[in-house]
Amino acid sequence: MLIRLVIVFIIFAAVLVFDAPNYKKNNKRGRAVYALSMAAVVYLGLDFAVGKDWPELHDAVGFIFSAPARMIINYFESKS
């Protein structure tokens, strides 16, 4: 786990070093998008490094849309 954490930290630091000049030139919207994407990168990097089964994007989508999808399927199956 320690090796994975070090690798994630090195990659994250390299990205920040190379993106720092461009980050300073961006407007508020660009900075917000960059911060949001980097937050996702940090979360997924820690998910990889720790090796736990943390919730990911497809889990959230499944949680939100599974009940409406089942309702639609049941509606069309009951018509047959």
Side-chain angles (χ1 to χ4, degrees), residues 1-75:
M1 181 173 105
L2 183 62
I3 294 173
R4 287 183 177 188
L5 281 172
V6 169
I7 291 171
V8 167
F9 178 74
I10 290 171
I11 292 172
F12 186 67
V15 168
L16 288 179
V17 166
F18 286 110
D19 285 346
N22 294 331
Y23 180 76
K24 292 177 183 177
K25 294 176 187 176
N26 284 341
N27 57 8
K28 275 181 121 173
R29 184 182 298 168
R31 288 181 182 179
V33 169
Y34 184 78
L36 185 64
S37 64
M38 290 309 288
V41 167
V42 168
Y43 176 77
L44 292 173
L46 288 175
D47 182 25
F48 165 74
V50 174
K52 301 287 183 185
D53 190 23
W54 290 353
E56 295 174 354
L57 182 61
H58 62 86
D59 295 329
V61 170
F63 178 74
I64 294 170
F65 293 113
S66 62
R70 281 192 208 108
M71 291 170 58
I72 292 170
I73 290 170
N74 289 337
Y75 175 76

